[in-house]
Amino acid sequence: AQTVTQSQPEMSVQEAETVTLSCTYDTSESDYYLFWYKQPPSRQMILVIRQEAYKQQNATENRFSVNFQKAAKSFSLKISDSQLGDAAMYFCAYRSYTGANSKLTFGKGITLSVRP
Amino acid sequence: NAGVTQTPKFRVLKTGQSMTLLCAQDMNHEYMYWYRQDPGMGLRLIHYSVGEGTTAKGEVPDGYNVSRLKKQNFLLGLESAAPSQTSVYFCASSYGYSPLHFGNGTRLTVT
């Protein structure tokens, strides 16, 4: 079974600065998807970014980018120019490429606070 | 376009009572999921369905049952609620390998 590990329960960043959230995973599969989801206090789950394992290029969405290291099974999220609205819980997630097992496995999450 | 709708949003049960959580999606998605979220535990999969009439167990299925009689609906049942089932429950759906779309969650308290 796949596992996702987020070892840092909390992080803090100064507004306008850059912060990196870490995530590692364990799998024996070669094809899969990785995601970062954001959960603000409203409780809504918001997709931030996704990465297909077969793509070597790191995904980027505006101020959010990932550092995907397939051999190391590492998938970190970098938030540039942090804003107060970035304060939330962030979850790293893994999804198998196999249809019958196509469920999302989450890490335990990290709470990000942004200092004004 | 409503997306994924969960009802109710909040519920308080007494130990031993039963209830059903309803999830409805209007995106014609094949896959549907029920997760529970507990502090420090992330989201854990309870049950999921890869199509109408099919269900499968996830990571924490004990004490829950599900049904997918219609493609757009996925019901989560608690036959005899226990305090350990106090949690926030999320329903999600997806089409193929597209990202999951989540409902806004149901906060359940069992006293």
Side-chain angles (χ1 to χ4, degrees), chain A residues 62-99:
Chain A
N62 301 313
R63 297 184 295 107
F64 299 87
S65 61
V66 298
N67 183 5
F68 173 48
Q69 301 290 329
K70 190 172 184 179
K73 297 180 182 176
S74 171
F75 184 59
S76 60
L77 175 69
K78 186 172 79 171
I79 306 173
S80 303
D81 185 24
S82 296
Q83 300 175 359
L84 295 178
D86 294 334
M89 180 163 279
Y90 288 82
F91 293 97
C92 178
Y94 172 102
R95 188 176 192 186
S96 174
Y97 201 74
T98 305

Side-chain angles (χ1 to χ4, degrees), chain A residues 33 35 37 39 42-45 47 50 89 91 95-109, chain B residues 9-10 31 33 35 37 40-43 45 48 50 88 90 94 96-100 102-107:
Chain A
Y33 296 90
F35 303 87
Y37 278 86
Q39 186 181 45
S42 66
R43 206 167 67 193
Q44 185 181 7
M45 292 292 288
L47 177 67
R50 77 168 179 175
M89 180 163 279
F91 293 97
R95 188 176 192 186
S96 174
Y97 201 74
T98 305
N101 294 319
S102 189
K103 50 189 181 293
L104 212 56
T105 300
F106 287 87
K108 293 184 177 181
Chain B
K9 290 183 171 54
F10 303 92
Y31 301 153
Y33 311 83
Y35 287 88
Q37 182 179 13
M41 301 296 291
L43 279 77
L45 184 64
Y48 65 102
V50 299
V88 177
F90 284 95
S94 73
Y97 301 113
S98 66
L100 270 62
F102 284 85
N104 288 330
T106 296
R107 181 175 293 278

